[in-house]
Amino acid sequence: MTGQPGQAVLDHIVINARSGLDRAEAVFRALGFALTPRGYHSLGSMNHLAMFDADYLELIGVPEGREADRPEVGLAPLGLNGLVFRSRDVAATHQHLAAIGAAAEPPKAFSRPVALEDGTARDARFRTVTAAPSAFPAGRLYFCEHLTPELLWRPEWLGHPNGVTGFAELVVVAPDPAGLALRLAEIIGAAAPTGDRIGLPAGCLISFLTPADYIARFGGLARDIGTRPAMLGALGFRCADPARMAGFLDAAGVAPDRRATGAGGISAALDDLDLLLEFRAG
């Protein structure tokens, strides 16, 4: 179960579009991501996914005028706002969270129909449990138990025209990076951080930066933390060829920046979604 050292498995990372999911979908399709058809959760939210071999990116939103139905989505900040780990048993994960003083609400179950290529539809079913916001103030931290994983990880959704193959890095911005790294490792059952970094099994690195170091690294591309105590500041992807990815950015009217990632990588700010993305060879 989640809570055993070294067993933290990333499930997905969430970009919140609030009532602007149409716009987010258009942007990510223009950037060369192959998105799943729109899904409608039984909880009232809706989404598109960009599936990778081990995990996935979720674009989530709510219908306009129904923001209060899911306030954790509809009334939350735009951009990166969800970090989700896998659980084999959310009841056991909830017990783990309670034992370390990080529990929020009890587990909940929900579903959404998935349209398949043969014209049929089946319900993808999930159980989730959320950590208390005070335990990880950078964004929503929760755990997902997939009851029907075969409905998400399907061959027709695993290839992306832009050559992106998965996550490379998630940057967390906080006044006390080492302290938040230790707390996150405890919550997700990861091995102790190396400095201010947590390495995950599928290759994604979670890096923790002070606000000053975040601005020093990303310059004018950095997102404004505002009054938030911490935030998810940037999301990096692995891709076959950053130069090819730059072509997608150019075609979508997004100016790539090579300064923040070093040689061979590119960064891009999507201001209307309050997003900072990176793309690296790998």
Side-chain angles (χ1 to χ4, degrees):
M1 58 163 273
T2 296
Q4 297 174 349
Q7 296 301 308
V9 175
L10 180 65
D11 190 75
H12 63 284
I13 293 173
V14 183
I15 291 173
N16 186 19
R18 296 200 295 202
S19 61
L21 188 58
D22 288 348
R23 170 61 179 161
E25 176 193 5
V27 167
F28 274 81
R29 289 195 189 278
L31 293 180
F33 288 90
L35 301 179
T36 60
R38 183 161 300 187
Y40 295 87
H41 296 127
S42 56
L43 296 175
S45 51
M46 50 192 185
N47 71 358
H48 291 279
L49 311 179
M51 301 300 303
F52 309 124
D53 286 342
D55 40 43
Y56 60 95
L57 175 70
E58 180 180 26
L59 308 179
I60 196 166
V62 293
E64 189 171 3
R66 295 183 57 188
E67 289 83 358
D69 289 355
R70 284 203 69 184
E72 73 276 20
V73 176
L75 304 179
L78 281 171
L80 289 167
N81 95 319
L83 177 57
V84 189
F85 288 85
R86 200 160 301 165
S87 172
R88 294 196 294 268
D89 180 347
V90 293
T93 300
H94 185 250
Q95 291 177 355
H96 163 68
L97 294 174
I100 62 172
E105 298 177 356
K108 59 186 175 184
F110 62 99
S111 64
R112 65 175 177 85
V114 176
L116 304 178
E117 282 194 327
D118 62 5
T120 64
R122 290 177 57 195
D123 281 346
R125 296 180 293 113
F126 316 88
R127 295 202 304 162
T128 61
V129 65
T130 304
S134 59
F136 187 71
R140 290 193 302 139
L141 174 63
Y142 60 103
F143 300 82
C144 182
E145 179 184 353
H146 287 272
L147 304 178
T148 53
E150 72 280 2
L151 297 181
L152 273 68
W153 279 273
R154 302 184 63 80
E156 62 266 30
W157 294 332
L158 291 178
H160 300 278
N162 58 16
V164 168
T165 58
F167 299 117
E169 182 183 12
L170 178 66
V171 177
V172 180
V173 185
D176 178 13
L180 190 55
L182 281 169
R183 183 56 164 158
L184 180 61
E186 178 186 31
I187 292 170
I188 66 175
T194 301
D196 299 337
R197 298 180 172 186
I198 297 174
L200 300 176
C204 183
L205 180 70
I206 304 179
S207 301
F208 296 78
L209 300 176
T210 66
D213 287 341
Y214 173 63
I215 293 172
R217 174 173 166 180
F218 292 105
L221 299 180
R223 305 292 88 193
D224 182 10
I225 194 170
T227 59
R228 288 176 285 181
M231 72 174 183
L232 305 180
L235 179 59
F237 296 93
R238 300 189 307 273
C239 62
D241 182 0
R244 180 182 176 190
M245 187 66 228
F248 280 93
L249 290 165
D250 286 334
V254 180
D257 189 306
R258 291 173 173 79
R259 291 170 298 175
T261 56
I266 55 175
S267 299
L270 306 179
D271 290 334
D272 56 347
L273 294 172
D274 200 18
L275 275 177
L276 174 52
L277 305 179
E278 289 191 312
F279 301 91
R280 304 175 190 168

